[in-house]
Amino acid sequence: MNDVIDDLLAKLDLAAKVRLISGSGVFRFAGDTGIGLAEMPVSDGPTGVRGELWDERDPSVSLPSGTALAATWDRALLGRIGGLIAAEARRKDVYAVLGPTMNLHRSPLGGRHFECFSEDPMLTAEIAAAYVDAVQAHGVSACPKHYVANDSETERFTADVIADERTLRELYLYPFERAVQAGTWMIMDSYNSVNGTTMTENALLDEPLKGEWGYDGVVVSDWTAVRSTGGAAKGTDIAMPGPWELWGAPLVEAVRTGEVPESAIDDKVRRILRFAIRVGALNGTPQQPPAFTDEAAQHLVREAAAQAMVLATNDGTLPLGKPAQVALLGAAAAEPRFMGGGSATVIPAHTTSPLEGLSAVLPVQYTPGVHLNDHMIAVPLALVTDPETGAPGLSLRYLDGDKVLDTEHRTAGGLMLFGNANAMVAKSFELRGTLRVDTAGEWRIGFAGVGKLRLDIDGETVLTETVMPDGADPVEMLLNPPQRWVTRTLAEGDELDVLIELAPVLDSGLPAMGLTFAVGRPRRAADEEFAAAVELARTSEVAVVVVGTTEQIESEGFDRKDLRLPGRQDELVAAVAAVNPRTIVVVNSGSPVEMPWRDDVAAVLLTWFPGQEFGSALADVLTGAAEPGGRLPTTWPKALTDVPVVDTKPAADNSLPYTEGIHIGYRAWLKSGVAPAYPFGHGLGYTTWELSDVTVTGHTATVTVRNTGDRTGRQVVQAYLSRPGSAVDRPVRWLSGFDLVEAAAGETVTATIDLPERSFQHWTDQGWVVEPGAFTLHIGTSVADLPLTAQIA
Ligand code: BGC
């Protein structure tokens, strides 16, 4: 391959080479027809493939998010999911998916916690490697991100993580090392700095990545992360989005003056050509992975969601059997979060809410009980028609003064014009629709967006305002912009002609624009609604309360401020539990939340952000058609005040010191001696297990596992190491390996756990070292439940 690459390189002049090392679009790598190199569209993201554009008319399968995937501890399932991601990528004509997200759960406040896998580097690495392997087996590139130490969002463009080499090697770099071993073709570097240098120019791109680990793939910048022309001498190979002005003509000049050596550019181009050969973009055709029918994709997402759900406690109320009547409560039951916010967003063709999923199989009566916040929602398609076509949806016009550049029929109330050619040239945007309300009462009608906005109702201007963003992060500004509205008292069936015009006034740094036609439905007064929910629970056989976070508190672009459930959700659960002993709480959050009522309810099921099939998977788990398969990939605290590592806010000099070193997650909890609500690795199923007889041969442990219950089940058998009497600062114990077993009622099977050499090593100035002496192996089903031990000399 190298000869071919050298021949092609020789055909490119300097300007052509520089063109190749930045994108030719927002989500597109440049091509060169002269050498037969196609342009290469790429797409977010980690849990679904949005495609090159952010457009509801081209929907995508929405998979469970990162924490959920890691909670399965199931490499084989990740293999099948990788196949689906590859199929989605090719269906959308993209060559690479920008995922998985492999930063660590250092603080539970981290805004992208939901998107990352785990607090443990080994679990992260294993899940990521299975993902990378499966996607790339079909000729589509993965792109593990963000290299490295991009573990929180506060001031993410400028934060300077200060971490010692051992901490970096053993924790934050380890998943990337494993992804390189798994053969990843692309890696994304991050916005932040590490030890004083921005990651797009950081020496960590040379060592260990490209040198010691022998990585021969491409390093792509995070979007807008390339900060200088001279930095092109360093390890980032492609600046995105493109064309990136700092790397255009100024870079050609910098090479001419000798500031940037041409050999550095050649190395980048070689890597890009190698990448292009791998994905079939150079004089070839990309591989075609086996396609998924809609049914097959839905089935896999539903299975994965159920496998990811963690049953934290259960007094035997679950599985439910056949209750005569179920009270379903909680705003999140009808309007759940299927995915986290930010660049990982995809637009699914259909979703199933808990209300829909449970109503299909159980005699459900529903009332929300609480309002999570005062945010309006994007106008539902069922309520709005495009005045141009008469079809459900809206009419979007791209304007340049009075000139109409284009008109589109859109089928979503919230639009995100990202990478869309018209959006880059239009001076203003106009969204029109006829709203027909389905309920009498006081409606809020308005918009969400940033810029100069105007709202007309029935031809009359009712609101104009120049709206500025609440936060500084461009992603937050696009995805979570401020809302404004007017109120109208309407009768059922009333129709209003609504027009919203937006003229951007700020340059977000991203060629993108977001605009939402938002509505707020009439709702009962808060106390009345609350009382109705409690009364319904009191008179029902079983109460299921779905609680969760919102996009305003858990998303890319900012960190959380606390771990509390928003609104009166805690109060609702407590009130419901007080009147119904069979209260099941379903938690719909991507990362830990405080659950002060957790010991007062019959069962707690953690569902994460489970993807589009949430409702059906939840119905499977609650009724017992499927076992909840998840085990915690991250510790769930009782309260934020107990959490050993919390801070995500850089100091005035931008530094964010990782003073805790190697002690994050359960390692830090073990060190502090405080018990969390639920420990790392914890999760119940619907059967019981007995573990016995550990045998260690070389670096493999085998364990006898017996299903002592009365139904088939799956168990994650976990192996941790400790090193009694060590001369080195170490965690009390740390994950070394795991195996997932399945057994029928009464059946005995063997778990086989690989214990990689790396898990015995620690990093020193001399490199990786195994401390002489015996290690103790601990086997069990969570970091806090390890009944079996063995010595490893
Ligand atoms: C995110 C990346 C993402 C990129 C492109 C950035 O803001 O940090 O994870 O891949 O946007 O959407």
Side-chain angles (χ1 to χ4, degrees):
M1 190 194 290
N2 286 345
D3 290 350
V4 178
I5 291 172
D6 284 340
D7 288 350
L8 292 171
L9 183 68
K11 294 190 180 129
L12 298 168
D13 64 18
L14 179 60
K17 288 190 277 195
V18 166
R19 258 197 307 281
L20 288 185
I21 65 169
S22 95
S24 58
V26 179
F27 285 107
R28 187 174 274 246
F29 293 169
D32 187 307
T33 41
I35 58 165
L37 172 63
E39 287 194 308
M40 293 170 276
V42 301
S43 164
D44 286 308
T47 45
V49 185
R50 193 172 53 240
E52 205 184 346
L53 295 180
W54 198 301
D55 195 320
E56 77 287 351
R57 295 166 298 176
D58 181 17
S60 315
V61 176
S62 144
L63 291 151
S65 56
T67 40
L69 292 178
T72 68
W73 297 59
D74 188 343
R75 299 174 179 100
L77 180 65
L78 261 292
R80 288 193 286 141
I81 284 175
L84 173 55
I85 290 174
E88 284 283 281
R90 289 315 314 155
R91 185 173 71 77
K92 297 228 165 202
D93 270 330
V94 303
Y95 289 82
V97 291
L98 306 174
T101 309
M102 320 201 290
N103 301 112
L104 297 185
H105 297 162
R106 175 175 172 267
S107 162
L109 297 178
R112 294 178 88 167
H113 196 286
F114 71 85
E115 202 182 315
C116 305
F117 291 133
S118 170
E119 65 191 18
D120 182 81
M122 196 256 175
L123 178 59
T124 299
E126 288 303 303
I127 296 295
Y131 175 124
V132 168
D133 198 43
V135 172
Q136 295 194 168
H138 298 291
V140 172
S141 181
C143 179
K145 63 189 187 184
H146 311 83
Y147 187 87
V148 62
N150 183 185
D151 310 296
S152 49
E153 293 292 278
T154 306
E155 291 157 39
R156 61 175 167 158
F157 303 111
T158 50
D160 181 15
V161 169
I162 309 298
D164 60 64
E165 185 158 10
R166 179 173 177 214
T167 300
L168 289 172
R169 288 285 190 153
E170 293 186 16
L171 298 189
Y172 302 97
L173 287 168
Y174 177 66
F176 289 95
E177 182 179 8
R178 186 74 183 79
V180 171
Q181 285 163 4
T184 189
W185 297 333
M186 203 197 314
I187 283 178
M188 186 188 294
D189 57 24
S190 55
Y191 289 128
N192 55 290
S193 296
V194 173
N195 294 330
T197 310
T198 192
M199 274 313 305
T200 47
E201 300 177 16
N202 200 291
L204 287 166
L205 297 172
D206 303 322
E207 295 298 343
L209 180 62
K210 290 181 176 177
E212 184 188 320
W213 297 347
Y215 175 60
D216 67 1
V218 162
V219 175
V220 62
S221 76
D222 198 347
W223 268 231
T224 72
V226 163
R227 309 221 152 91
S228 75
T229 303
K234 306 288 181 97
T236 299
D237 300 313
I238 303 187
M240 289 300 284
W244 193 241
E245 284 174 14
L246 290 171
W247 279 22
L251 181 53
V252 172
E253 189 51 30
V255 174
R256 292 215 169 103
T257 61
E259 185 196 346
V260 174
E262 188 157 355
S263 58
I265 309 296
D266 287 351
D267 181 60
K268 297 179 200 304
V269 175
R270 278 201 184 85
R271 287 170 182 273
I272 292 166
L273 295 174
R274 189 177 300 120
F275 173 84
I277 294 170
R278 286 170 165 165
V279 298
L282 228 174
N283 289 321
T285 44
Q287 215 174 302
Q288 209 48 57
F292 274 72
T293 60
D294 289 349
E295 292 70 33
Q298 283 169 27
H299 196 270
L300 178 54
V301 177
R302 178 172 177 167
E303 178 190 342
Q307 290 304 342
M309 290 181 189
V310 175
L311 184 57
T313 60
N314 182 19
D315 68 359
T317 299
L318 289 180
L320 274 180
K322 294 212 177 320
Q325 193 237 337
V326 177
L328 180 64
L329 311 168
E335 278 164 22
R337 297 192 72 193
F338 298 99
M339 66 191 96
S343 59
T345 304
V346 296
I347 307 172
H350 92 110
T351 54
T352 309
S353 68
L355 174 57
E356 291 161 330
L358 296 186
S359 301
V361 293
L362 291 169
V364 162
Q365 272 183 276
Y366 173 68
T367 195
V370 288
H371 314 306
L372 295 194
N373 58 29
D374 289 332
H375 263 74
M376 298 182 289
I377 54 167
V379 65
L381 214 49
L383 300 187
V384 75
T385 40
D386 176 347
E388 301 273 335
T389 64
L394 296 160
S395 164
L396 172 69
R397 296 207 298 176
Y398 299 86
L399 302 169
D400 182 355
D402 290 339
K403 198 163 140 221
V404 179
L405 303 176
D406 202 3
T407 305
E408 287 173 352
H409 169 68
R410 301 300 298 249
T411 50
L415 302 179
M416 174 69 151
L417 308 174
F418 203 158
N420 165 320
N422 278 323
M424 291 191 219
V425 289
K427 300 279 187 300
S428 65
F429 305 84
E430 190 190 84
L431 202 51
R432 281 190 306 147
T434 306
L435 174 70
R436 185 167 203 279
V437 301
D438 57 359
T439 328
E442 186 167 288
W443 282 76
R444 290 182 295 155
I445 299 159
F447 49 69
V450 165
K452 198 161 166 252
L453 281 137
R454 193 184 90 226
L455 170 67
D456 289 0
I457 296 182
D458 292 336
E460 198 187 315
T461 298
V462 292
L463 196 59
T464 49
E465 187 176 333
T466 300
V467 181
M468 297 311 260
D470 295 332
D473 194 288
V475 169
E476 183 183 0
M477 161 175 148
L478 285 167
L479 292 175
N480 221 342
Q483 303 191 329
R484 300 289 185 269
W485 63 85
V486 295
T487 51
R488 288 281 184 278
T489 302
L490 301 171
E492 185 184 335
D494 275 358
E495 289 194 2
L496 307 175
D497 285 328
V498 176
L499 180 151
I500 298 163
E501 194 188 21
L502 180 148
V505 292
L506 267 189
D507 181 5
S508 69
L510 288 171
M513 208 278 307
L515 178 59
T516 298
F517 173 0
V519 293
R521 288 177 171 283
R523 48 194 199 183
R524 272 203 278 216
D527 287 341
E528 197 186 320
E529 179 53 48
F530 192 92
V534 178
E535 182 55 18
L536 180 59
R538 197 181 61 77
T539 53
S540 299
E541 192 180 323
V542 177
V544 177
V545 191
V546 185
V547 296
T549 60
T550 63
E551 196 143 354
Q552 287 70 46
I553 60 168
E554 196 185 357
S555 171
E556 178 179 338
F558 52 90
D559 292 318
R560 282 193 292 170
K561 294 179 186 61
D562 57 51
L563 302 181
R564 284 197 293 275
L565 286 166
R568 292 171 68 184
Q569 297 185 93
D570 285 335
E571 207 187 316
L572 178 68
V573 175
V576 167
V579 298
N580 192 324
R582 301 185 75 204
T583 295
I584 296 152
V585 185
V586 174
V587 184
N588 177 209
S589 67
S591 42
V593 292
E594 289 171 358
M595 304 185 293
W597 33 258
R598 69 189 178 285
D599 294 331
D600 307 326
V601 298
V604 176
L605 182 72
L606 314 176
T607 66
W608 317 105
F609 296 146
Q612 63 180 40
E613 306 301 325
F614 186 4
S616 342
L618 181 64
D620 290 345
V621 166
L622 294 186
T623 59
E627 204 190 20
R631 302 294 182 267
L632 287 178
T634 209
T635 309
W636 274 51
K638 289 180 187 153
L640 180 61
T641 44
D642 290 344
V643 178
V645 182
V646 174
D647 68 306
T648 60
K649 190 168 167 31
D653 67 352
N654 295 332
S655 66
L656 182 58
Y658 283 13
T659 44
E660 70 286 348
I662 58 167
H663 302 281
I664 65 164
Y666 64 83
R667 302 159 186 244
W669 285 91
L670 289 170
K671 194 176 177 200
S672 76
V674 176
Y678 305 109
F680 177 82
H682 170 75
L684 307 170
Y686 289 153
T687 183
T688 50
W689 300 90
E690 196 177 87
L691 271 53
S692 60
D693 308 321
V694 187
T695 312
V696 183
T697 317
H699 278 176
T700 305
T702 55
V703 188
T704 303
V705 185
R706 198 162 86 84
N707 180 346
T708 52
D710 57 8
R711 58 174 282 162
T712 298
R714 284 156 42 111
Q715 182 59 288
V716 179
V717 183
Q718 302 161 35
Y720 297 80
L721 288 173
S722 70
R723 177 65 177 74
S726 174
V728 182
D729 171 36
R730 290 177 184 276
V732 174
R733 51 186 170 271
W734 61 96
L735 185 70
S736 172
F738 59 89
D739 191 25
L740 181 65
V741 295
E742 183 165 338
E747 195 188 353
T748 298
V749 293
T750 302
T752 305
I753 308 175
D754 288 330
L755 310 170
E757 173 71 7
R758 178 52 51 79
S759 64
F760 293 84
Q761 297 172 326
H762 67 280
W763 181 260
T764 69
D765 293 346
Q766 282 73 50
W768 292 106
V769 167
V770 179
E771 186 182 14
F775 286 77
T776 306
L777 184 67
H778 308 259
I779 306 268
T781 55
S782 85
V783 72
D785 176 22
L786 297 165
L788 306 178
T789 55
Q791 296 303 306
I792 303 181

